[in-house]
Amino acid sequence: MGRARTFHALHRATPLVTAVALAGLLTACADGADSTGAARTPAATDSRTTGPAATDTGSPATEPGTPGPGTPDTESPVTQSGAAAPRCHTSELRASIGRPSPGAGQRNFPIVLTNTADRTCTVRGYPGAAFVDASGRQLGPDPKRSPDTPTTVTLAPGRSAWAGLSFASPEISGARTALPAALLVTPPDERDPLKVTWTAGEVPVAGNESSVRLTVVQPGTGG
């Protein structure tokens, strides 16, 4: 499927991350960014997502994320039976990192969520994301959210949605870096993360231009 927006639009991407305990790290939300721009974990009560060729399949991580306040969705997609499609739960999704899309001085990656269940479900808003080392310790601060407008994405079995993750190239920004072992991805409005092996090199964790940014989920694989 065609990407709903290109990564070149993520021009404000700036790098990531400081060490934090994993319990309560990952954040995901069904609505917009907070006043600080930092990603927060949404309530695991109401939410709604599809995506290029993925490079890794995710498996549930052993440590859950911490939920925060969320806003119920007013756009409730319906199934062929006429019933509202339920939110996609972590156990029904596979996470992967799609094909990177280099930009001018930045690195852009699609975080792809694929529906592995035999039912249609929905995703909406921002996923949670955190780079971690081999011991599970978070590297750098939580990503910031790009000012996007969330929409509900309906995923039939086997379909995918993606959210953009981007940061300034450390060799250009001069930010301090670390080499993650994995990226933990929490689907919107869920508590439990999916663990995806990170093979794309060092990421910024401190210093100038060290922020990492996330976009809302949208249909497709981002490729």
Side-chain angles (χ1 to χ4, degrees):
M1 299 177 64
R3 67 167 71 194
R5 70 175 67 226
T6 65
F7 272 122
H8 298 293
L10 304 177
H11 58 279
R12 288 183 291 180
T14 48
L16 177 241
V17 209
T18 60
V20 182
L22 247 202
L25 291 185
L26 270 246
T27 66
C29 186
D31 285 287
D34 62 17
S35 61
T36 66
R40 296 292 179 190
T41 307
T45 55
D46 203 280
S47 50
R48 325 292 173 218
T49 239
T50 311
T55 58
D56 191 4
T57 58
S59 58
T62 56
E63 299 187 48
T66 301
T71 302
D73 183 17
T74 57
E75 300 180 41
S76 297
V78 296
T79 62
Q80 291 183 344
S81 65
R87 181 178 83 247
C88 297
H89 298 296
T90 299
S91 61
E92 299 173 306
L93 297 169
R94 179 180 72 249
S96 59
I97 304 299
R99 183 184 310 159
S101 175
Q106 69 181 36
R107 298 177 184 174
N108 308 301
F109 301 88
I111 297 175
V112 182
L113 294 172
T114 301
N115 182 6
T116 61
D118 57 3
R119 67 165 188 165
T120 295
C121 59
T122 61
V123 291
R124 176 186 174 91
Y126 298 84
F131 290 108
V132 296
D133 61 18
S135 66
R137 180 177 62 93
Q138 183 171 344
L139 301 172
D142 291 339
K144 295 181 179 180
R145 295 175 183 165
S146 296
D148 304 313
T149 301
T151 58
T152 300
V153 181
T154 302
L155 297 182
R159 307 299 287 182
S160 303
W162 68 281
L165 179 149
S166 61
F167 52 84
S169 300
E171 59 270 21
I172 296 176
S173 68
R176 184 165 63 83
T177 63
L179 183 62
L183 177 68
L184 298 186
V185 178
T186 303
D189 291 339
E190 289 293 296
R191 295 171 178 266
D192 298 325
L194 297 162
K195 186 175 183 179
V196 185
T197 300
W198 182 258
T199 60
E202 295 187 339
V203 300
V205 295
N208 294 333
E209 301 296 323
S210 60
S211 295
V212 172
R213 288 190 177 274
L214 287 170
T215 68
V216 296
V217 293
Q218 48 201 302
T221 58

